[in-house]
Amino acid sequence: MIRLGIIGTSSIAHEFATAAKASGQFEIKAVYSRTQFNAQSFGEGYGADLFVTELDKFTALEEVDAIYIASPNSLHFEQAMSAIANGKHLIVEKPIFSNTKEWEAAFSAAKANNVFLFEAARHLHEPNFALVKNEIAKLGEIDGASFTYAKYSSRYDQVLAGEEPNIFSLNFSGGALSDLGVYLLYAAIAWFGVPEEVDYAAKKIQTGVDGAGTMLLKYPYFTASLHTSKIYNSFADSEIYSAKKTLILDGVNLIQSVELVDGETNERYQLAEKASGHFMDDEVQAFARVLNDPENPDTIEDYERWTQISRDVNRTMEALRKKAGIVYPADLDEA
Amino acid sequence: MIRLGIIGTSSIAHEFATAAKASGQFEIKAVYSRTQFNAQSFGEGYGADLFVTELDKFTALEEVDAIYIASPNSLHFEQAMSAIANGKHLIVEKPIFSNTKEWEAAFSAAKANNVFLFEAARHLHEPNFALVKNEIAKLGEIDGASFTYAKYSSRYDQVLAGEEPNIFSLNFSGGALSDLGVYLLYAAIAWFGVPEEVDYAAKKIQTGVDGAGTMLLKYPYFTASLHTSKIYNSFADSEIYSAKKTLILDGVNLIQSVELVDGETNERYQLAEKASGHFMDDEVQAFARVLNDPENPDTIEDYERWTQISRDVNRTMEALRKKAGIVYPADLDEA
């Protein structure tokens, strides 16, 4: 049993705690929050018995093997560094860090301290995500791709009322790219590799972050356009093009439908596997597999592959943000 | 009855001849082709009785009031100038001219010679096209738009076999933007106006034209992304976004479905009118209305509006082509 500490008490942290506990691989041991009450209210239902309000005391707990971080984005780095210094393995919600400076510092520290550092990019671990990668290889030369993840956030109502919720705040490294676009980038980079050049036409909202935008990822022989938004809804499918064959996905995240369309016959073949259980089961199992068998060359290979994708996504996000002129306070801190 | 001469004997010319004849407004009088045989084979079924192989003789025919041009794009200009010089009204298939230099010269000549010059952008005249414009006005501030028209052309098989069919040839001012992208631009410009800035990520194919690409049209408060291709198929809907409301169109051309989705309830309302008859009926009637009533302020206003959109589309296409580094021989001719 991997004894887990949890930082953050939002709904995503609840989901992760539920999946982690249900997996039989993790024991929810401790919760950190700024107030004892919040930590306790969050953790007691999962059987946790340690509730801590000071970060350094929490990350030093001997009863904890690994820490899951689901706090606002801009807090990930300091929390992760504290946990790494205390020899804890880490699972950090996407987007893992605000910029490449933080990414490099944290992964260097993790390596030096001999701990695993995972970005919780859950779709990367879905069977259908791997299935799509496999279908892409069969298609041969790719001619284009169009991915969409655009969903109106109820928090945007607060922005319109003059407030600045974390996910729409520069101070908390928020915005559409950071929150939803990251899923699109994970898919593009895992499936097609690192683009040669990127551009980002962003719609900035009153708080200064991108509420929506279209990314162009330029590969040698095609361009992938990635469309994200937290201020309106898209119902469009995502598509991958190769001459007469088109793969139609109901999204690149939580993929439930993968249709291969033959453009000559217009016949459609459903390729997706049925997902079962909790939507975080796959990632929870993936992380547990590495943590439980850290010397196995296969698990190490998986970890290194995930780390490479995380790094590429992080770098690409920073390049895209620069193109749109979006600067986080986290970018300005002393190195 | 408007006595019509036809230049070009392709399938699109057949469609136009069919719709024109069926409208009761046009009589198909004459056909121009490089060979007498082609002109006659094309025209006899529509009741034409004049078949001409020399351009200047054809455009000078006294028995013809208006000429419809559906030749390869790069030939439109010379043919149009000859017809205008002979006082004929003109309906020219999209894209009307290769560049702004040709556009300005031809429309100046048309004005000086007191003839009407129409770009046959057929969807501009569809009831559902106007309906969408009307719905957009009701939405209030637009936050984004994504339009798609991407269809594998069987002519691309020829390109892959080393040939250079007109629609994929720089010499004939071909390519995806010119052939299908123009529909997307018409919709964006008619519905949203002229963008402040544009970009075009094009996939160039072996003949040097764009086989596919994504255009970004940047408006003050949002970006429209327009996705076109003649080398693969997209089945994605087109969408217009405004906060919690999304308009979903089955396309921006030949619009048969316009759904308004309320993002709070997920309810969908179908707004489209049922189209009837031949898909070119609306444009044929629109052109006839102007030609039959050329002094009417309402028809003049329509004509001027269409002309302005044609000009804006033509300029935007040229700007987009420049961004993608696509140069037509027609651009290099002496002014």
Side-chain angles (χ1 to χ4, degrees), chain A residues 203 221 233-235 239 246, chain B residues 203 221 233-235 239 246:
Chain A
K203 177 180 165 74
Y221 301 109
N233 297 303
S234 170
F235 302 89
E239 296 183 324
T246 302
Chain B
K203 177 180 164 73
Y221 300 109
N233 296 304
S234 170
F235 302 88
E239 295 183 324
T246 303

Side-chain angles (χ1 to χ4, degrees), chain A residues 300-316:
Chain A
I300 294 300
E301 195 187 313
D302 281 344
Y303 176 71
E304 283 172 357
R305 185 166 50 82
W306 303 337
T307 302
Q308 185 61 49
I309 296 175
S310 172
R311 184 171 192 251
D312 292 337
V313 167
N314 181 270
R315 290 184 165 252
T316 306

Side-chain angles (χ1 to χ4, degrees), chain A residues 130-187:
Chain A
L131 180 144
V132 171
K133 188 174 169 75
N134 201 30
E135 288 302 318
I136 289 169
K138 288 189 210 159
L139 286 177
E141 190 177 310
I142 298 301
D143 294 313
S146 171
F147 297 167
T148 300
Y149 193 179
K151 198 162 164 35
Y152 187 92
S153 163
S154 58
R155 300 287 171 82
Y156 190 52
D157 292 342
Q158 294 172 245
V159 174
L160 295 174
E163 296 169 44
E164 190 172 298
N166 297 345
I167 56 154
F168 285 113
S169 165
L170 290 170
N171 288 326
F172 288 97
S173 304
L177 168 59
S178 163
D179 196 50
L180 298 186
V182 62
Y183 287 104
L184 304 174
L185 285 176
Y186 252 93

Side-chain angles (χ1 to χ4, degrees), chain A residues 242-263:
Chain A
S242 176
K244 293 170 190 170
K245 290 187 176 159
T246 302
L247 274 182
I248 305 181
L249 320 176
D250 61 342
V252 302
N253 170 35
L254 274 175
I255 304 168
Q256 290 175 301
S257 172
V258 179
E259 283 185 304
L260 178 65
V261 186
D262 180 324

Side-chain angles (χ1 to χ4, degrees), chain A residues 2-262:
Chain A
I2 304 156
R3 298 168 303 167
L4 194 67
I6 292 181
I7 294 181
T9 56
S10 64
S11 63
I12 189 98
H14 272 296
E15 296 287 0
F16 192 87
T18 303
K21 192 169 154 68
S23 72
Q25 306 284 344
F26 291 90
E27 176 189 349
I28 315 297
K29 188 66 193 163
V31 179
Y32 163 82
S33 186
R34 277 168 299 175
T35 68
Q36 184 81 11
F37 177 79
N38 280 350
Q40 213 158 331
S41 325
F42 179 95
E44 279 180 344
Y46 303 106
D49 54 12
L50 296 167
F51 310 107
V52 182
T53 60
E54 282 171 67
L55 180 66
D56 291 340
K57 283 194 184 157
F58 178 76
T59 58
L61 287 172
E62 285 189 9
E63 296 88 343
V64 163
D65 306 310
I67 291 176
Y68 167 73
I69 299 180
S71 55
N73 303 338
S74 64
L75 307 181
H76 293 179
F77 180 66
E78 187 202 345
Q79 293 165 346
M81 291 302 273
S82 171
I84 291 165
N86 282 299
K88 305 299 190 237
H89 302 297
L90 272 172
I91 299 164
V92 184
E93 262 312 323
K94 37 61 52 186
I96 187 166
F97 298 120
S98 298
N99 50 46
T100 60
K101 189 184 63 181
E102 291 184 358
W103 195 99
E104 295 294 345
F107 274 86
S108 293
K111 195 166 191 179
N113 285 268
N114 212 21
V115 298
F116 289 106
L117 173 48
F118 303 100
E119 181 167 14
R122 38 158 302 288
H123 58 327
L124 182 61
H125 307 285
E126 284 178 7
N128 282 332
F129 192 93
L131 180 144
V132 171
K133 188 174 169 75
N134 201 30
E135 288 302 318
I136 289 169
K138 288 189 210 159
L139 286 177
E141 190 177 310
I142 298 301
D143 294 313
S146 171
F147 297 167
T148 300
Y149 193 179
K151 198 162 164 35
Y152 187 92
S153 163
S154 58
R155 300 287 171 82
Y156 190 52
D157 292 342
Q158 294 172 245
V159 174
L160 295 174
E163 296 169 44
E164 190 172 298
N166 297 345
I167 56 154
F168 285 113
S169 165
L170 290 170
N171 288 326
F172 288 97
S173 304
L177 168 59
S178 163
D179 196 50
L180 298 186
V182 62
Y183 287 104
L184 304 174
L185 285 176
Y186 252 93
I189 286 171
W191 294 340
F192 308 132
V194 180
E196 287 189 327
E197 204 191 319
V198 298
D199 201 2
Y200 186 34
K203 177 180 165 74
K204 287 194 210 172
I205 60 170
Q206 40 272 65
T207 60
V209 303
D210 51 325
T214 301
M215 298 162 245
L216 297 179
L217 308 193
K218 299 179 188 177
Y219 292 96
Y221 301 109
F222 72 98
T223 296
S225 36
L226 278 45
H227 189 176
T228 190
S229 171
K230 288 185 70 69
I231 63 168
Y232 55 75
N233 297 303
S234 170
F235 302 89
D237 287 329
S238 293
E239 296 183 324
I240 298 162
Y241 314 105
S242 176
K244 293 170 190 170
K245 290 187 176 159
T246 302
L247 274 182
I248 305 181
L249 320 176
D250 61 342
V252 302
N253 170 35
L254 274 175
I255 304 168
Q256 290 175 301
S257 172
V258 179
E259 283 185 304
L260 178 65
V261 186
D262 180 324

